[in-house]
Amino acid sequence: MPSWKEQLPSIGTLGPFIALLIACGFFSLQSEQFLTGANFSLILQQVMVVGLIAIGQTLIILTAGIDLSCGMVMALGGVVMTKVAHDYGVHPVLAIAAGFAVTAGFGLINGLLVTRIKLPSFIVTLGTMNIAFAITQLYSQSQTITDLPAGMTFLGTTFSIGQTEVAYGTVLMLAMYGASWLWLRETASGRHIYAVGNNPEATRLTGIATHKVLLMVYVLAGLCYGVASLLSVARTGVGDPNAGQTENLDAITAVVLGGTSLFGGRGIVLGSLIGAMIVGVFRNGLTLMGVSSVYQILITGILVILAVATDQLSRKGGR
Amino acid sequence: MQQSRIHLAIAAVATAIALPTFAAEPIIGLITKTETNPFFVKMKEGASAEAKAKGAKLLSAAGKTDGDNAGQVTAIENMIAAGAKTILITPSDSKAIVPSIKKAREKGVLVIALDSPTEPANATDALFATDNFKAGVLIGNYAKATMAGKPAKIATLDLFPGHPVGAQRHNGFLEGFGLKSLDAKSNELAKPAEVVCMADSFGDQAKGQTAMENCLQKNPDINVVYTINEPAAAGAFNALKKAGKEKGVLVVSVDGGCQGIKDVGAGKIAATSQQYPLKMAAMGVAAGVEYAKTGKKPSGYTDTGVTLIAAKAVAGVDSKDTKTGMDLCWGNK
């Protein structure tokens, strides 16, 4: 039996949540509109795209990798699904499937290059980031795709819980966080991801096919980016070839703020949602206060360094 | 062996690239902020059509992203090396590009700024651009006439802090609306009492939507929305529609891209000030060819014009309809 002290969540786990609570407390003192259900539903909608990319990114960072291509692959997925639906008149469901196939395909390519040729994920995804961006621009001719069928933007529509309008997209995001949390925690394949991130060699020697685990992680991440494409299309109502440029690093920021270790093997996927929420809360709160968006960037930068420093120090402390 | 072969290949390629330098046709370089923004795509289109008509050779290049000064510096160097006698540039960073432009001009290259000025403006030989303050004044006038004395609660979705074009449009709009504003040279954003929310949209639809949603949280009674460009306006409209407020709120914008004009026609945007990238580029190329032939340099600022496009005209404000706007717009029709 572990003692009660060991049952308590570590600072790395609680830190992001405490930071979010402090930020919320601060903004509710500054603005009376902040602490309402409608406003929180709104912040969730504003972070749903980054939130979904962050699920895929968390999986990859747990294996001690990183995916720089996430935002660009997301943008490509959005352009593919909207263009297929708009230009060829294909049924939205098939068009969305085409978008998912492209983003998962990019995941597969990333995974194969990492596992078969043993290239560092940083370099592989640096390359595929540029490739995905270029294909997006060439395929769309740098033009936004409009006049989409309603089926593609359904996730951006809302239903009401009491007074609060909630978007279907945020429900999907929360469900995917729940599912990935359970999967990582309760299943063998989920635990293998932590094992690969902690010590790939030891994991291989215990008979786990580390290559297969890694490949699966990259493909699943690609699928997450596909869902993010769909959410992005649903939220803005267009296929935007210039999407994903800030989401690229915002997703990594969310994962790091959420307490997942960049050195791999440690972290909780729900933390990434908290991390995305922290950024969203600052953007929303500072606008309500009438403060320039540059402060949001400043504060995010400070928080990222604090988060990584906490991780590094707690690692030295032997936890 | 291997290496000398590579050297030979490089020499061959270099000769092939250098050859056009000796051609008789004047070489004109066009450097835009990015390759991907439809505004600059149209600008390139206008430049290459004019170059073809005038028998000039057009080289084009761009930064990787908006604000990529180093990319533009490299482009200037490459174009001088390629023998360009005129360089047309939309500076990404109005100050940082000045030393490179100075070097080019010292080599006898005519440099014309398109779309946005350098700081100081006389660092280039001439400037062909939209009067952004005036573009703001036009939509300000329109909004004021439409409101017809009703008290205004205004949200402004601006570009980002410190950008001169963003400040000029914002302050021009307030001036046109008859509110306390700053002059056309200021880089600060005026904030009279009627402006109840100011947020940065970065000229992007998704961020424009987020900014408007947050503004509506702050003040649900907003009835006038000024946006830096039409993607931001489309985002604002999405936010208004989701809040069920799309009917009573007046959205005005600047740019005049084809999608933006369509949005004016569809009633999402009430009015927009249309600018003319194709004309800017064509005028720049014509000036470059003139310089190559006669040595005559243009100077000072040339206004490339701005037109108010509105689906519904209001009394006392001169505007054109969306059909005129569509004829002159840029992007996919």
Side-chain angles (χ1 to χ4, degrees):
Chain A
M1 275 301 280
S3 75
W4 66 272
K5 260 188 178 170
E6 282 162 19
Q7 298 253 341
L8 282 179
S10 70
I11 286 289
T13 316
L14 277 182
F17 193 65
I18 295 169
L20 181 61
L21 283 184
I22 292 173
C24 287
F26 173 73
F27 285 121
S28 39
L29 292 177
Q30 297 294 321
S31 156
E32 55 194 58
Q33 301 95 345
F34 180 80
L35 207 61
T36 59
N39 197 42
F40 269 88
S41 168
L42 196 60
I43 296 172
L44 277 172
Q45 286 176 53
Q46 292 173 353
V47 304
M48 66 186 180
V49 176
V50 167
L52 250 160
I53 299 176
I55 295 179
Q57 189 70 250
T58 309
L59 296 179
I60 290 175
I61 291 180
L62 279 176
T63 68
I66 194 147
D67 187 353
L68 300 178
S69 72
C70 56
M72 299 300 135
V73 171
M74 186 278 283
L76 176 60
V79 162
V80 167
M81 58 180 72
T82 50
K83 224 171 147 60
V84 166
H86 181 266
D87 290 10
Y88 320 130
V90 170
H91 190 276
V93 173
L94 291 176
I96 291 165
F100 282 13
V102 169
T103 58
F106 258 89
L108 183 66
I109 294 168
N110 284 337
L112 284 174
L113 289 168
V114 167
T115 55
R116 302 291 155 190
I117 314 188
K118 308 230 184 306
L119 299 176
S121 57
F122 186 93
I123 302 300
V124 168
T125 58
L126 185 63
T128 48
M129 169 181 86
N130 286 306
I131 294 167
F133 174 77
I135 296 175
T136 306
Q137 298 299 337
L138 292 170
Y139 183 52
S140 67
Q141 295 169 305
S142 303
Q143 299 281 344
T144 305
I145 300 120
T146 53
D147 305 319
L148 303 178
M152 297 209 75
T153 52
F154 167 75
L155 288 169
T157 57
T158 56
F159 64 96
S160 40
I161 299 178
Q163 301 277 314
T164 306
E165 294 284 319
V166 180
Y168 290 102
T170 60
V171 177
L172 177 68
M173 174 184 74
L174 295 176
M176 287 198 56
Y177 265 98
S180 50
W181 178 68
L182 277 176
W183 175 60
L184 284 170
R185 200 183 135 94
E186 302 295 338
T187 70
S189 59
R191 303 307 304 180
H192 288 169
I193 294 174
Y194 284 91
V196 170
N198 258 324
N199 192 337
E201 188 57 21
T203 312
R204 193 181 63 78
L205 291 173
T206 59
I208 296 167
T210 53
H211 280 183
K212 276 191 186 155
V213 174
L214 277 173
L215 206 56
M216 170 188 72
V217 161
Y218 279 91
V219 172
L220 283 176
L223 276 174
C224 287
Y225 308 153
V227 181
S229 317
L230 180 59
L231 288 177
S232 167
V233 168
R235 180 165 157 73
T236 56
V238 295
D240 180 2
N242 291 315
Q245 316 229 352
T246 52
E247 286 82 351
N248 220 16
L249 292 178
D250 282 356
I252 296 173
T253 304
V255 177
V256 172
L257 284 183
T260 296
S261 171
L262 281 171
F263 312 105
R266 291 197 315 170
I268 298 180
V269 69
L270 291 180
S272 303
L273 177 60
I274 306 282
M277 285 291 287
I278 291 175
V279 177
V281 159
F282 272 104
R283 185 171 46 205
N284 175 273
L286 290 173
T287 309
L288 294 184
M289 282 172 67
V291 177
S292 158
S293 59
V294 179
Y295 284 96
Q296 181 215 334
I297 299 170
L298 175 76
I299 292 163
T300 311
I302 294 170
L303 286 177
V304 164
I305 290 175
L306 279 177
V308 181
T310 314
D311 177 40
Q312 182 71 310
L313 291 175
S314 72
R315 197 156 260 241
K316 273 192 187 146
R319 286 210 54 160
Chain B
M1 242 346 253
Q2 190 71 35
Q3 212 159 29
S4 68
R5 231 193 243 163
I6 292 170
H7 283 155
L8 256 180
I10 292 172
V13 171
T15 319
I17 294 169
L19 266 179
T21 315
F22 304 111
E25 53 187 5
I27 297 171
I28 292 169
L30 171 69
I31 303 171
T32 50
K33 289 185 192 177
T34 68
E35 297 271 11
T36 55
N37 182 324
F39 184 87
F40 298 125
V41 172
K42 195 70 183 179
M43 192 177 259
K44 202 164 126 185
E45 214 178 284
S48 60
E50 184 75 12
K52 208 171 171 195
K54 290 253 161 74
K57 181 177 167 58
L58 184 80
L59 302 175
S60 64
K64 273 204 222 71
T65 55
D66 200 340
D68 176 15
N69 183 62
Q72 291 199 325
V73 170
T74 309
I76 291 181
E77 291 163 355
N78 291 344
M79 283 179 176
I80 297 172
K85 281 284 165 271
T86 299
I87 291 177
L88 313 170
I89 183 166
T90 58
S92 255
D93 184 321
S94 56
K95 283 185 189 144
I97 197 70
V98 167
S100 301
I101 291 177
K102 190 163 169 261
K103 271 188 216 157
R105 291 179 71 190
E106 278 163 4
K107 290 189 175 122
V109 176
L110 169 72
V111 181
I112 300 173
L114 302 181
D115 179 50
S116 21
T118 49
E119 277 182 77
N122 64 12
T124 56
D125 290 286
L127 167 69
F128 296 169
T130 304
D131 182 341
N132 282 298
F133 192 80
K134 187 176 156 197
V137 168
L138 290 179
I139 50 174
N141 286 338
Y142 183 89
K144 190 185 182 193
T146 310
M147 290 300 281
K150 224 168 68 185
K153 290 201 169 168
I154 302 171
T156 66
L157 304 190
D158 298 300
L159 191 56
F160 49 83
H163 196 287
V165 170
Q168 286 158 15
R169 290 182 187 172
H170 174 107
N171 292 334
F173 165 77
L174 295 175
E175 176 85 25
F177 207 100
L179 299 172
K180 198 169 169 292
S181 185
L182 298 163
D183 68 60
K185 287 205 173 61
S186 177
N187 275 0
E188 301 284 315
L189 303 176
K191 192 177 189 299
E194 289 81 356
V195 174
V196 294
C197 188
M198 274 168 63
D200 296 324
S201 71
F202 297 84
D204 172 279
Q205 179 165 343
K207 291 196 189 69
Q209 184 173 339
T210 301
M212 190 67 219
E213 287 167 350
N214 291 341
C215 277
L216 283 173
Q217 285 293 309
K218 189 180 182 194
N219 195 322
D221 303 331
I222 288 165
N223 54 15
V224 177
V225 182
Y226 152 85
T227 57
I228 180 73
N229 66 3
E230 288 131 11
F237 181 81
N238 272 356
L240 288 164
K241 197 173 166 201
K242 276 169 57 189
K245 293 178 194 293
E246 75 271 26
K247 288 279 184 286
V249 180
L250 186 76
V251 181
V252 292
S253 194
V254 178
D255 241 7
C258 296
Q259 185 57 43
I261 302 295
K262 274 188 215 160
D263 286 347
V264 173
K268 294 181 181 178
I269 303 172
T272 193
S273 286
Q274 185 172 47
Q275 48 176 349
Y276 300 104
L278 204 140
K279 194 168 152 194
M280 284 173 204
M283 286 170 76
V285 171
V289 173
E290 171 83 13
Y291 172 64
K293 282 185 182 154
T294 66
K296 194 170 147 268
K297 286 184 176 181
S299 68
Y301 168 59
T302 306
D303 185 351
T304 51
V306 56
T307 310
L308 183 68
I309 307 288
K312 276 182 242 155
V314 288
V317 180
D318 191 20
S319 69
K320 296 275 185 287
D321 61 10
T322 49
K323 196 190 158 295
T324 315
M326 278 313 277
D327 288 341
L328 298 168
C329 74
W330 37 277
N332 263 4
K333 285 199 180 173

